[in-house]
Amino acid sequence: MKKRPLDAYDPLEDFEARKITELDTTKTVHVSGTGPAVIVIPEVPGISPHVARFARWTRDAGFTVYMPSLYGRDGEPVDLEVGQAIFKRVCISAEFRAFGSGGSAPVTQWLRALARTAHEECGGPGVGAIGMCFSGNFALSMMLEPAMLAPVLSQPALPLDDDAGLQIAPEELEAIRERLDHEDLSVLAYRFDGDRFCKAERFAAYDRALGKRFIGRVLPDSAANRDVPEFFEKVVQTPHNVVTVHLIDAEGQPTIAARDEILRFFAHRLLGVR
């Protein structure tokens, strides 16, 4: 994959911008690649060049990427004022349910339907998905869709008002736990040690809920990229975005090891690679 500037607008010209309607709601989904489907759910403030870079890595690893536009302007580099405005809007949006544990975000119903459609279009044993930050837990809720086989939770930040809270209804969590056990599936999750949005209490809650099916990775803060856009420096403030903004794209870096583990996880579940 050729290097692209991360501080300039990304036209996403190597993706097909499709209008996909699920549950009477239409959203733009950027699609690229061949092979089994992986849904890359963007973090706030949207499909930035950093998110698009991860999507291309996934595509080039042998998958068809479906990247839904949920917020922000697609391809736009992260701007402080714009990022703050988007963050405020999604915090009060009923679709994303940023506050209060014990309930799932309504948008996950649409994402489950997208997973079903992607599986029908791409074939293979099933679908993978990764959620990041604001969307971090969405991939877990998507496990209510039988086509979903490989969920990745990258720094799941919701609910914002409860460090140990889980953004999922208890009955849904129980159904997912039973499915994980029955089908011998697992959930991969990542966070930085000093992350103030996804703390140790949240991973402990996932561990209690999912047991050995939850594989949580904690990266040292020293592994985070410090050359970040102003939004992440002034608003996020701590190491947070494991496979996007805070990733150091260099051999031997822990964040690159995390990226590679995620791609191997998808390959194992969706391509049968051992």
Side-chain angles (χ1 to χ4, degrees), residues 72-256:
R73 183 186 174 204
D74 300 343
E76 193 72 25
V78 179
D79 174 84
L80 176 60
E81 292 186 6
V82 173
Q84 287 176 312
I86 294 169
F87 181 72
K88 290 176 182 177
R89 283 200 299 272
V90 296
C91 280
I92 62 174
S93 169
E95 186 178 24
F96 301 108
R97 202 179 187 277
F99 298 95
S101 60
S104 301
V107 72
T108 58
Q109 298 178 37
W110 191 92
L111 290 167
R112 291 201 299 267
L114 176 64
R116 186 163 53 251
T117 295
H119 186 217
E120 292 171 353
E121 293 180 348
C122 298
V127 176
I130 178 171
M132 312 172 185
C133 178
F134 217 81
S135 68
N137 187 64
F138 294 176
L140 180 63
S141 295
M142 290 169 68
M143 288 298 290
L144 292 168
E145 163 53 45
M148 268 290 301
L149 295 180
V152 179
L153 285 56
S154 192
Q155 72 274 354
L158 301 186
L160 295 174
D161 58 343
D162 184 355
D163 291 343
L166 299 182
Q167 193 211 40
I168 188 169
E171 63 275 14
E172 293 182 354
L173 184 60
E174 179 60 27
I176 290 168
R177 170 60 190 264
E178 291 179 2
R179 184 188 173 204
L180 294 172
D181 286 338
H182 180 70
E183 299 182 32
D184 192 23
L185 300 174
S186 55
V187 178
L188 268 185
Y190 299 84
R191 59 177 290 271
F192 283 106
D193 187 44
D195 190 343
R196 70 188 185 101
F197 290 99
C198 181
K199 297 182 179 180
E201 292 92 330
R202 179 151 299 135
F203 267 33
Y206 280 121
D207 189 65
R208 288 192 298 271
L210 301 177
K212 66 180 182 179
R213 301 298 173 183
F214 178 74
I215 304 171
R217 308 294 197 207
V218 181
L219 281 65
D221 291 350
S222 60
N225 177 27
R226 299 294 178 172
D227 182 17
V228 298
E230 193 176 15
F231 173 81
F232 294 94
E233 180 183 354
K234 294 188 176 180
V235 177
V236 178
Q237 298 181 348
T238 58
H240 178 62
N241 307 71
V242 175
V243 295
T244 57
V245 170
H246 289 108
L247 177 142
I248 299 176
D249 187 8
E251 186 177 351
Q253 290 293 327
T255 47
I256 285 293

Side-chain angles (χ1 to χ4, degrees), residues 1-8 10 12 14-15 40 42-43 46-61 65 67 75-76 130 132 224-225 227-229 241-250 255-256 259 263:
M1 184 178 74
K2 70 176 183 179
K3 293 279 187 178
R4 293 170 178 257
L6 298 173
D7 58 354
D10 185 337
L12 304 174
D14 49 336
F15 290 80
V40 176
E43 61 199 12
I47 301 176
S48 68
H50 291 85
V51 172
R53 177 179 63 175
F54 179 82
R56 291 185 176 104
W57 279 328
T58 304
R59 176 197 64 196
D60 294 348
V65 167
M67 185 166 53
E76 193 72 25
I130 178 171
M132 312 172 185
N225 177 27
D227 182 17
V228 298
N241 307 71
V242 175
V243 295
T244 57
V245 170
H246 289 108
L247 177 142
I248 299 176
D249 187 8
T255 47
I256 285 293
R259 178 205 66 181
L263 296 180

